[in-house]
Amino acid sequence: MGKAAGEDRVRYELAPGAVVAVAGARSQAPQRAYVARADGTVEEISVTAAEDRIDPAGTARRAWRRRCSRVGLGERPFRFSAALGHGYEADTVYDWAGEEYVAACVRATARCVWLRAVTYEEAVSLGVA
């Protein structure tokens, strides 16, 4: 005999304001998050909002990481082909893919540039994060 509708749900009592993040069975990263309301119901919130509620001190750092991630840059330099006379210079920070001041040029030749994401610490020192 099968389960009745809703019998497969687990119920927990949560304090108002408690945040719950849920990851899939084969994932370590949460895909959904919820916050408990004072009336005992739960409201779905974004994973980003959940992170910010759990660790408010890290909000700016995570926002910077997402900004760099949106443009496809990481910590390690990546080589890009460039047209002759491209104008990129090593040790200079550039706008990239619609985001301001996210690309640090670590090397430039006549035909290639190596770019990496500006670190959060660098962004703070530049006054852009």
Side-chain angles (χ1 to χ4, degrees):
M1 214 180 219
K3 293 182 182 181
E7 284 186 19
D8 59 343
R9 295 183 179 235
V10 178
R11 299 193 185 278
Y12 297 97
E13 288 192 31
L14 300 170
V19 176
V20 176
V22 181
R26 293 189 172 111
S27 176
Q28 293 181 356
Q31 285 89 34
R32 301 182 92 165
Y34 304 88
V35 64
R37 292 183 177 171
D39 65 2
T41 62
V42 294
E43 172 186 2
E44 186 167 1
I45 59 174
S46 69
V47 172
T48 300
E51 290 174 334
D52 293 346
R53 286 177 183 240
I54 293 168
D55 177 25
T59 299
R61 180 178 297 277
R62 285 187 303 278
W64 184 259
R65 184 185 70 225
R66 286 189 302 273
R67 185 175 173 185
C68 291
S69 180
R70 275 194 301 269
V71 299
L73 296 174
E75 294 176 9
R76 293 184 4 190
F78 188 81
R79 181 177 57 91
F80 294 90
S81 296
L84 283 173
H86 54 72
Y88 284 97
E89 296 179 17
D91 301 320
T92 306
V93 174
Y94 294 94
D95 298 350
W96 189 256
E99 292 285 347
E100 296 179 332
Y101 308 111
V102 294
C105 182
V106 297
R107 183 175 173 211
T109 65
R111 292 281 194 179
C112 297
V113 294
W114 284 258
L115 302 173
R116 65 166 173 79
V118 171
T119 66
Y120 178 70
E121 290 75 15
E122 290 169 330
V124 168
S125 72
L126 291 168
V128 296

